[in-house]
């Protein structure tokens, strides 16, 4: 008899886990809260992915196609887990979707509920939502996805753009002490895209550290050496309105030791990643633990990063912490293996 | 080696360090040059005895860091990672570019007293708006760190402060201030203002200005003046008063012991 495995979340990690398990002949139930699969990359219409700037459609589109064409995967859209309880070594869950409620028994569970973009409006110093020309990376990503690179306020090409790193990350003041890992690379990627679209636009990146780790460093070098993107060391502490429909970034150039107040046509806030409301909700429903950062807690960050603190429930993707799409897909596969082994042993 | 200063020599000498190439790159006090000097009977007056102190820092003075960390206001010095958010938020920096909280914290972390000494004129200029502390991503509390800095400058460079900037405590203002706090538990800005005016000898201006008179009349009329007089004291004020009294007496004795 085939094993039954529940996958919660239809983003990159969940989709990849479901496809891998289905390939092994497992009966997979894939539960997604939105009306579509693809998670945040689909929701916010990511256009190109770092590091090789390949179309997001190549990756997310392939995953969605793979899941939709596989008959071993039972797909639930606009769905949620209404109730969940342990049943010996197995789990019993009520899945509520547009087609009604369904009670099923599973041998193991993979949680891949992902992350939420930090909302910069929570940090008032950046004046997000106060000025049209102050946007964040997900806004710019969506604009670029729609082929629109112009200023939101007047639809004209920006003369200069400021990209501010570490918004909502590495900040006790907003409550997120961690580094969101991908914003530096995403910002550098966006700087390149902006420069490719408008070569005349000056792009400045305000940084404290540039954490384009590993091979993502190539992208950062490329931004400076091929596209003349200028980096300025210092975190911006205030955004106010300026003359001629500009916004002023007030900060300190910590290398030259001095304050600056420079008007920009457009400001992009590199907002980080948060565990979102879904993480505590899952922890509560499934009886697993949250970590101190608001993400789901791994049993052992080094030895068993895909296990939760409860046997039979596994974790994959950004629900355990900020990570790149490539890492989320990789974790989907790894958690699928862990979940399969557990199901095989106990069925 | 006998070194004697040749007081009698009237030999004309160059200005200090005048012959040094790229003189403008070197601080005045880094140049050691005696106009008239005799070593072992040899007269080396003028450029022959010129020395330039090393411009390379040869140590980080961590004892200084420990000293700051022990104070209540400076206890979070180890948190600072030099992002510049404090200086960027600062009310004072746009007025005095040399007042830079981030740089001061860094100098304190590394115990660079030599550099701090150059800022005795601006180091105490924090106005306490706390914008920096509110925005600091590491919650260093830079505003209070500036207080630690001021205390430190007072301790290590008392002469600088006295001679260059006349930063002496005004006993009279101190008396008014303490009297207000102990008497009422709060500051009476109007009282401070008038006493300051009186102190500057501007007693006639106090009542002569049309606006000022108008304001006083207006406040009498709408009852605000009366409410100022009736100002209540904070809840259980006598307990706080005793504690402050005790503290002031304690610090008084401490200062006398010194």
């Amino acid at each position: 008899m085939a094993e039954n495995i529940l996958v919660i979340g239809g983003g990159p990690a969940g989709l990849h886990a479901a496809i891998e398990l289905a390939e092994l002949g497992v009966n997979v139930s894939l539960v997604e809260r939105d009306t579509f699969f693809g998670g945040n990359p689909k929701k916010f219409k990511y256009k190109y992915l770092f590091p090789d700037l390949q179309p997001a459609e190549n990756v997310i589109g392939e995953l969605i196609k793979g899941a939709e064409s596989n008959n071993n995967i039972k797909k639930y859209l606009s769905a949620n887990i209404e109730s969940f309880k342990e049943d010996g070594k197995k789990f019993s869950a009520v899945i509520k979707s547009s087609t009604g409620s369904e009670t099923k028994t599973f041998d193991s569970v993979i949680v891949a509920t992902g992350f939420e973009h930090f909302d910069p409006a929570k940090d008032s110093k950046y004046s997000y939502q106060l000025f049209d020309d102050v946007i964040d990376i997900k806004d710019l990503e969506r604009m670029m996805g729609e082929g629109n690179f112009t200023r939101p306020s007047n639809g004209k090409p920006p003369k200069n753009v400021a990209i501010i790193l570490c918004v909502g990350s590495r900040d006790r003041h907003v409550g997120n002490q961690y580094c969101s890992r991908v914003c530096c690379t995403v910002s550098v990627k966006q700087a390149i895209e902006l420069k490719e679209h408008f070569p005349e636009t000056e792009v400045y990146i305000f940084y404290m550290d540039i954490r384009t780790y590993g091979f993502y460093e190539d992208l950062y070098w490329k931004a400076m050496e091929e596209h003349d993107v200028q980096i300025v060391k210092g975190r911006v502490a205030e955004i106010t309105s300026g003359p001629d429909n500009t916004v002023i970034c007030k900060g300190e150039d910590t290398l030259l030791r001095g304050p600056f107040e420079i008007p920009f046509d457009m400001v992009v806030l590199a907002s980080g990643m948060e565990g979102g409301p879904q993480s505590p909700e899952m922890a509560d429903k499934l009886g697993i633990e949250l970590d101190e950062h608001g993400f789901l807690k791994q049993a052992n960050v080094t030895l068993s990063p895909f296990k939760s603190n409860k046997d039979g429930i596994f974790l994959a993707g950004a629900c355990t912490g900020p990570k790149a799409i490539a890492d989320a897909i990789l974790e989907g596969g790894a958690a699928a293996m862990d979940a399969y082994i557990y199901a095989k042993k106990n069925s | 080696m006998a070194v004697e200063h040749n007081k009698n020599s009237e030999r004309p000498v160059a200005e200090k360090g005048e012959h040094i190439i790229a003189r403008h790159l070197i601080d005045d006090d880094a140049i050691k040059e005696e106009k008239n000097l005799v070593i072992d009977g040899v007269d080396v007056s003028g450029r022959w005895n010129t020395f330039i102190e090393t411009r390379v820092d040869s140590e980080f003075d961590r004892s200084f860091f420990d000293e700051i960390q022990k104070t209540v206001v400076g206890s979070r010095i180890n948190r600072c990672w030099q992002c510049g958010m404090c200086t960027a938020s600062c009310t004072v920096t746009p007025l005095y570019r040399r007042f830079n909280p981030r740089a001061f914290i860094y100098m304190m972390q590394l115990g660079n007293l030599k550099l701090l000494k150059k800022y005795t004129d601006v180091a105490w200029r924090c106005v306490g708006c706390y914008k920096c502390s509110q925005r600091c991503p590491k919650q260093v509390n830079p505003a209070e760190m500036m207080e630690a800095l001021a205390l430190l400058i007072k301790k290590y460079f008392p002469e600088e402060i006295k001679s260059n900037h006349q930063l002496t405590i005004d006993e009279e203002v101190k008396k008014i201030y303490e009297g207000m706090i102990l008497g009422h538990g709060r500051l009476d800005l109007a009282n401070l203002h008038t006493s300051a005016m009186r102190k500057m000898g501007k007693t006639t201006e106090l009542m002569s200005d049309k606006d000022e008179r108008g304001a006083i009349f207006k406040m009498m009329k709408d009852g605000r003046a009366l409410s100022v007089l009736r100002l209540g004291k904070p809840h259980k004020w006598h307990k706080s008063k005793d504690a402050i009294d005790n503290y002031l007496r304690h610090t008084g004795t401490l200062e006398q012991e010194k």
Side-chain angles (χ1 to χ4, degrees), chain A residues 89-342:
Chain A
K89 293 246 177 206
K90 293 180 194 289
F91 306 94
S92 156
V94 180
I95 302 166
K96 196 183 169 198
S97 67
S98 46
T99 52
S101 289
E102 209 174 310
T103 308
K104 279 184 153 183
T105 304
F106 297 100
D107 298 304
S108 59
V109 180
I110 294 174
V111 183
T113 47
F115 73 99
E116 295 281 317
H117 285 283
F118 173 78
D119 178 8
K122 283 188 208 162
D123 195 352
S124 59
K125 61 178 169 276
Y126 295 116
S127 304
Y128 182 69
Q129 287 177 353
L130 200 62
F131 306 124
D132 291 341
D133 289 327
V134 179
I135 56 175
D136 80 344
I137 41 175
K138 67 169 188 301
D139 301 332
L140 184 61
E141 200 61 43
R142 180 162 44 196
M143 281 164 57
M144 287 172 165
E146 291 162 356
N148 171 23
F149 291 74
T150 56
R151 299 177 64 188
S153 66
N154 60 10
K156 286 182 186 158
K159 280 195 289 294
N160 56 2
V161 177
I163 296 176
I164 300 171
L165 301 183
C166 294
V167 172
S169 303
R170 310 175 72 198
D171 194 336
R172 270 205 182 93
H173 174 64
V174 298
N176 296 339
Q177 294 188 24
Y178 51 86
C179 163
S180 290
R181 291 179 86 186
V182 294
C183 347
C184 283
T185 318
V186 173
S187 293
V188 164
K189 182 206 73 146
Q190 291 182 340
I192 292 173
E193 286 178 83
L194 269 168
K195 287 292 278 190
E196 279 177 347
H197 202 83
F198 295 128
E200 298 303 313
T201 299
E202 293 171 10
V203 179
Y204 299 86
I205 297 179
F206 293 95
Y207 73 102
M208 177 167 62
D209 306 286
I210 292 189
R211 295 185 163 175
T212 48
Y213 58 103
F215 294 152
Y216 300 155
E217 186 81 0
D218 296 345
L219 208 58
Y220 153 46
W221 286 34
K222 187 180 165 187
M224 290 182 79
E225 294 174 9
E226 289 175 29
H227 298 279
D228 297 341
V229 170
Q230 179 61 48
I231 59 170
V232 181
K233 193 168 173 77
R235 276 174 97 155
V236 169
E238 201 172 311
I239 295 177
T240 52
S241 67
D244 307 324
N245 191 27
T246 54
V247 277
I248 289 179
C249 287
K250 189 177 168 193
E252 193 211 350
D253 180 339
T254 59
L255 294 179
L256 284 180
R257 203 193 279 172
F260 61 76
E261 289 176 22
I262 298 168
F264 285 94
D265 277 357
M266 199 157 101
V267 175
V268 185
L269 308 172
S271 47
M273 293 160 92
E274 284 187 327
Q278 70 269 32
S279 293
E281 193 190 321
M282 276 298 131
D284 192 38
K285 240 174 218 170
L286 271 54
I288 54 180
E289 268 180 63
L290 267 185
D291 68 9
E292 71 269 33
H293 302 298
F295 290 88
L296 294 171
K297 193 174 181 171
Q298 297 155 310
N300 182 323
V301 286
T302 315
L303 188 63
S304 48
F306 313 115
K307 288 182 176 151
S308 73
N309 64 308
K310 192 173 254 186
D311 286 342
I313 299 180
F314 302 89
L315 311 169
C319 66
T320 56
K323 55 186 58 100
I325 292 172
D327 297 331
I329 292 173
L330 185 138
E331 289 195 358
M337 180 55 92
D338 277 358
Y340 183 68
I341 292 168
Y342 185 89

Side-chain angles (χ1 to χ4, degrees), chain B residues 250-258:
Chain B
H250 183 64
T251 48
T253 21
L254 277 183
E255 265 169 32
Q256 276 160 24
E257 272 172 19
K258 246 200 274 172

Side-chain angles (χ1 to χ4, degrees), chain B residues 63-76:
Chain B
S63 64
F64 196 70
F65 174 95
D66 297 336
E67 189 183 338
I68 305 254
Q69 203 176 22
K70 278 193 195 106
T71 63
V72 176
V73 280
S75 62
R76 288 171 166 184

Side-chain angles (χ1 to χ4, degrees), chain A residues 125-126 170-173 208 234-238 250-259 261, chain B residues 79 81-85 87-89 93 97 100 102-103 107 119 131 134-139:
Chain A
K125 61 178 169 276
Y126 295 116
R170 310 175 72 198
D171 194 336
R172 270 205 182 93
H173 174 64
M208 177 167 62
R235 276 174 97 155
V236 169
E238 201 172 311
K250 189 177 168 193
E252 193 211 350
D253 180 339
T254 59
L255 294 179
L256 284 180
R257 203 193 279 172
E261 289 176 22
Chain B
R79 288 187 172 194
W81 60 8
Q82 297 289 307
C83 68
M85 204 82 116
T87 304
S89 317
T93 312
R97 202 181 156 99
N100 187 325
R102 175 197 58 76
M107 290 171 203
Y119 296 92
K131 251 157 92 181
Q134 200 248 331
R135 286 177 185 164
C136 174
K138 292 270 271 167
Q139 289 178 354

